[in-house]
Amino acid sequence: MTDRAGCAGERRTPSGAGLRAPVAALLTTLLAASAVLLGAGGAEAAGYRYWSFWEGNGKTWAYATQGPSLLRPDDGTVQGFRFSVSEDSADADQPRRAPDFGAVCADTPAKDGSKRVALVIDPGTAADAPDGEEPPALRTACAQVAPDASSAEALASVAKPLRYDSSAMICAISGYPRSGCGEQVSGDGSKKDGSGKPSAPAASSAPAADGVDDGDGGSGGGPSAGLLVGIGAVLLLGVAAVFQARRRR
């Protein structure tokens, strides 16, 4: 009887304390896999190099909700264009000059039959420039155009040559940059294979994470939905394995 009791005790030990080690190892592996997957999602975050379009309200800038070819500004309006690398509209850099109509158009008197639009044209920094190019200096200009002129027409009157792509996105202002148009770049600023485009209208909404217009500017930041689903599936499998092991005790 003593021998049998001893044997029974030996059988219970592996199913109790011995089970904790495999379960702990499984959970550790799952957590490590989740961390790797999440890290991979963050590392893939990319931005786009393009001219963004802004509207001034007297003191601050607001990202434009219409493209310059569609918007028809009123007399006394201040608008800005900024060349930079950004993931989306929330991440985009503003023009580095305050939207001050009086300062920009002080030397351009009002004239009947025309309107004045103050423009801030900011080519950005060397960090945002394509390889082999240097950004020109930031400048301002007071465009005096017809009352029904669009923002694009106001820009063309003071900043030629302009370059557009087939979707009417502004690719270059005053010839800068010489090439490229909304290309996708990796997180470290280097160009990736393929290219993406800021979503329509041109230069008024930042690109989606995968370069496809999703209608709301895209986030481009965190892990994708597919990645999160994969992580959830891995964790669920781990939990199921733990419960199955417990049932066998």
Side-chain angles (χ1 to χ4, degrees), residues 38-66:
L38 286 171
E44 291 173 358
Y48 297 82
R49 182 182 286 120
Y50 70 107
W51 283 98
S52 56
F53 180 40
W54 301 80
E55 295 182 275
N57 62 10
K59 293 183 179 180
T60 60
W61 293 104
Y63 206 89
T65 57
Q66 287 184 292

Side-chain angles (χ1 to χ4, degrees), residues 36 52-53 58 68 117 127 133 144 146-147 151-152 181 211 213 216 224 226-227:
V36 170
S52 56
F53 180 40
V117 180
E133 294 199 53
Q144 195 158 40
S151 299
C181 194
D213 178 13
D216 62 2
S224 65
L227 178 61

Side-chain angles (χ1 to χ4, degrees), residues 18-37:
L19 182 63
R20 297 192 187 98
V23 171
L26 176 60
L27 291 176
T28 300
T29 301
L30 290 172
L31 289 173
S34 300
V36 170
L37 290 172

Side-chain angles (χ1 to χ4, degrees), residues 75-78 97-111 115-120 140-144:
D75 180 70
T77 297
V78 185
R97 183 69 60 84
D100 188 339
F101 177 83
V104 175
C105 290
D107 298 329
T108 305
K111 186 192 311 183
K115 65 181 177 183
R116 294 173 298 166
V117 180
L119 299 173
V120 176
T140 61
C142 187
Q144 195 158 40

Side-chain angles (χ1 to χ4, degrees), residues 22-246:
V23 171
L26 176 60
L27 291 176
T28 300
T29 301
L30 290 172
L31 289 173
S34 300
V36 170
L37 290 172
L38 286 171
E44 291 173 358
Y48 297 82
R49 182 182 286 120
Y50 70 107
W51 283 98
S52 56
F53 180 40
W54 301 80
E55 295 182 275
N57 62 10
K59 293 183 179 180
T60 60
W61 293 104
Y63 206 89
T65 57
Q66 287 184 292
S69 61
L70 299 176
L71 189 61
R72 299 187 181 278
D74 295 328
D75 180 70
T77 297
V78 185
Q79 298 183 327
F81 294 85
R82 172 68 191 266
F83 189 77
S84 66
V85 175
S86 62
E87 294 180 20
D88 50 41
S89 59
D91 180 60
D93 292 323
Q94 299 180 4
R96 295 170 296 167
R97 183 69 60 84
D100 188 339
F101 177 83
V104 175
C105 290
D107 298 329
T108 305
K111 186 192 311 183
D112 290 340
S114 67
K115 65 181 177 183
R116 294 173 298 166
V117 180
L119 299 173
V120 176
I121 303 169
D122 186 351
T125 66
D128 294 318
D131 292 342
E133 294 199 53
E134 289 291 333
L138 181 153
R139 70 186 184 94
T140 61
C142 187
Q144 195 158 40
V145 292
D148 62 347
S150 67
S151 299
E153 290 171 323
L155 180 65
S157 71
V158 298
K160 289 181 179 178
L162 304 179
R163 177 165 56 86
Y164 291 84
D165 72 355
S166 58
S167 64
M169 172 181 165
I170 292 181
C171 303
I173 296 177
S174 297
Y176 179 79
R178 293 189 299 269
S179 62
C181 194
E183 64 268 24
Q184 186 178 19
V185 295
S186 63
D188 60 2
S190 59
K191 185 176 179 180
K192 298 179 70 177
D193 293 337
S195 64
K197 299 292 183 180
S199 55
S204 68
S205 182
D210 58 359
V212 179
D213 178 13
D214 63 3
D216 62 2
S219 64
S224 65
L227 178 61
L228 294 176
V229 169
I231 293 172
V234 171
L235 292 176
L236 284 175
L237 287 174
V239 172
V242 171
F243 276 105
Q244 186 66 21
R246 292 177 64 110

